[in-house]
Amino acid sequence: MIKAILIFNNHGKPRLSKFYEHYSEDTEQQIIRETFHLVSKRDENVCNFLEGGMLIGGSDNKLIYRHYATLYFVFCVDSSESELGILDLIQVFVETLDKCFENVCELDLIFHVDKVHNILAEMVMGGMVLETNMNEIITQVDAQNKMEKSEAGIAGAPARAVSAVKNMNLPEMPRNINIGDISIKVPNLPSFK
Amino acid sequence: MSPSVRLQEMIRVIRSARTQGEERGVIQRECAAIRAQFRQADNGGRSHNLAKLLYVHMLGYPAHFGQMECVRLIASPRYSEKRVGYLGAMMLLDEKQDASLLITNSIKNDLSHSSQYVQSLALCTLACMGSAEMCRDLAPEIDRLLRASNSYIKKKAALCAVHIVRKVPELGELFTPAARSLLSEKNHGVLHGAVVLITELCERNPETLEQFRKTVPDLVQIMKGLVTTGYSPEHNVAGISDPFLQVRILRLLRILGRNNDAASDAMNDLLAQVATNTDSSKTAGSAVLYETVLTVMDIKSESGLRVLAVNILGRFLLNNDRNIRLEPFSPYSASLPPSLPPSPHGFLFLFPLLISSSPLLSRALELSLALVSAVNIRSMMKELLLFLSSCPPELKAQAACGIFNAAERYAPSQRWHIDTILHVLTTAGGDVRDETVPNLIQLITTASDLHCYTVHKLYRALITDISQQSLVQVACWCIGEYGDLLLRGECDEIEPVQVSEDDVLDALETVLQSHMSSPATRGFALTATMKLSTRITDNVDRIRSIVSIYGSCIDVELQQRAVEYNALFKKYDHMRYATSCTSVQLHMKAPSGDFLPARGTATLTQTVLLNNPNKVMLKMRIRMSYTSQGSAFQDTMQIDSFPGPACH
């Protein structure tokens, strides 16, 4: 079972944190810090598996990580998962993100963290691997996004109209319109707020 | 406007904060705004606000006030709101909170929703944080979905069922029939979920395991399909067709084949096929191969297959990828059994000696010792002794112990055995267990044709180095016993060296006087000196003077011995010869443990076998050294009441 999936950058700032077991908010943050501490100390030429920190279950659990440029992808798993398999899974996850975001970089993950959660939800569910076929995952994510957009399309129209008009720059209305002999008093229209 | 835009604005603002304090300020303001918005009735931006709150939660700020909002959003008819609501539920709620019960009804409704994506949201959330009550409530729904839905939902329902079984094991029976039928699906996602579900059911209930043994042929069929199929772009990872599914199936086969001949037979061919056909150059193939090896070792496989498996492991070590190379040694992966079939690759397991990491070395050592057999003992022992001299200090004890065990089981000759033990004592004498000394003495005693060789070798070792206590003790004993052979000078198997009585006594006196010698070692040396008095002719006076010096030694043990020996010289000279003969043999077994808990809650036993063929009167003095709360203690006791000469 996968206990947690964490993505953080080289300075330990979390970019995604998904826990499949319940921990208190404080503990979650401590786990992130502890994991960063353990993983950032690793040399480049050692293997990608290490023992989990104390907070996340110690020697019963292991951390499997991959380091891509500025990001660490860390999966904390128990002994029922194949280490080499999880290593491949991380690769599939990153490749999927790459396809969804078109050459994904850290900024994409920062500003679209909800999208990353949605993608991850198609791959891992309840701590278990759900789907590893990249195309299948992307198809489903696209379909769901479409559904969301279509909903926002119809229901969002009034909201969009309101905000469009609010931001319209109305020129100053003249008080009186004088054309030759005709003088028309402009009624006091309520201000459009 | 999609929720993300508002979220992105907030993220931008947070990122522009230059200090931690500034960030905290920004977030507090945002949270206050979000809180206010939650309190309002209905507004168009509900999902934005929750999304923002979840982001803030990830950064570590409190977000519990969003829990009720999650409940509200989940109940909304709109997909975008449900999506964020469910995500929030997974992040903020757990079974201990009351709010989680409130979403049970929503989940129930959503499980029968017309849109599969809404169904999938509900399934996902239930699998993540469903409590036992929720699981009991909704289990029939999940069972229904397992049977009659599309593959997208089926695979999610399968994993949801796994979660339910973990929370409420009794419900396993409910899912058994559906799980069985899922194996005939074609979709890999569904198959994967089915295999995980069956694995979980089998691990929890032995009866269910019996039932599922019948599925072995089906599983073998599926695996065959995966292994022999041509390139399939959908599931291909580095040339292997769906390695994730293969690994899962192999694991299930392991569970089903354990301790069962019929099942193991049925999978033998398949395992051989996977083992031979899988390409191990990349991680994907290696994952499959490693799983295959573990399965072969765990079930009742035929010996040819087991040898193949060990050879595969050996090949792992030659891989370029460091993750693959170190996989057999990972202390976190399943253990290999303690005794593996012999393999010419046995010594390859010592290759990772180049790595400094101790947990890996410990496993490598364990594996190497498991591979020792009568066939390869000589070559393996050479490597193991080399290892012993260069391994980190924390592994020396394990290595020495393993070497002794291996030597005892497979020693090709007594001389080889003695040489090996001497080698260990010279290299790592400080790390061997206490019973090594009497056991070695026992061994030497029985190797009667080697006494001359042994005493010469030990004498040489003694004059070279007196720091290794175990070695010194054995050497002293040996000199005491066989000093006459040493002095005689001739020996078949070793270059003889002229040793005079003075030389020998010098050596023993050096040991007695050295500050490096422990009290036990001094005891040995003193006893040896005493014994020599019956074996040498010229220097008895010197011996007597050495012994009497120790009559006033500070160490009580030594003093006691010295006084007794003195008495032997004075009053019981005629018995001196009798008491110095080699009739009594002592064999110490390993103690039952090395830790004794306080207050008599457990006992520690160590068996000592005493062989007294000549039925001489015996007294035994036992000295026990131990540490308690960091300080060293010693207790001595004497046993005078051995059974008399009438019985054995």
Side-chain angles (χ1 to χ4, degrees), chain A residues 91-156:
Chain A
Q91 186 66 20
V92 172
F93 181 35
V94 172
E95 276 173 27
T96 312
L97 286 177
D98 204 32
K99 259 234 172 104
C100 286
F101 285 102
E102 254 144 83
N103 288 329
V104 67
C105 64
E106 190 180 341
L107 282 176
D108 290 319
L109 300 189
I110 296 170
F111 283 100
H112 298 281
V113 74
D114 50 340
K115 283 211 180 63
V116 181
H117 268 286
N118 294 334
I119 295 171
L120 188 58
E122 289 301 316
M123 288 185 67
V124 178
M125 190 174 110
M128 294 165 279
V129 177
L130 174 67
E131 179 65 65
T132 54
N133 179 344
M134 199 164 65
N135 292 330
E136 174 69 20
I137 298 167
I138 294 176
T139 315
Q140 300 300 342
V141 169
D142 281 345
Q144 289 171 31
N145 287 340
K146 221 177 273 171
M147 206 168 127
E148 211 176 288
K149 270 204 196 79
S150 68
E151 226 177 45
I154 300 170

Side-chain angles (χ1 to χ4, degrees), chain B residues 51-126:
Chain B
K52 287 196 271 185
L53 188 61
L54 294 179
Y55 180 80
V56 156
H57 169 80
M58 179 181 75
L59 290 181
Y61 296 88
H64 46 271
F65 55 88
Q67 286 170 4
M68 281 314 291
E69 191 64 15
C70 294
V71 176
R72 260 178 251 131
L73 281 175
I74 288 175
S76 151
R78 299 179 52 191
Y79 179 70
S80 55
E81 295 189 345
K82 272 194 204 287
R83 208 182 198 186
V84 179
Y86 274 117
L87 180 61
M90 285 192 272
M91 287 176 76
L92 300 179
L93 292 178
D94 75 292
E95 48 189 65
K96 292 190 199 74
Q97 267 118 32
D98 300 325
S100 65
L101 285 173
L102 298 171
I103 63 173
T104 313
N105 216 27
S106 297
I107 295 184
K108 196 178 206 160
N109 293 335
D110 285 340
L111 283 176
S112 342
H113 202 278
S114 51
S115 160
Q116 63 173 7
Y117 297 114
V118 175
Q119 286 179 315
S120 105
L121 285 176
L123 283 169
C124 192
T125 309
L126 183 60

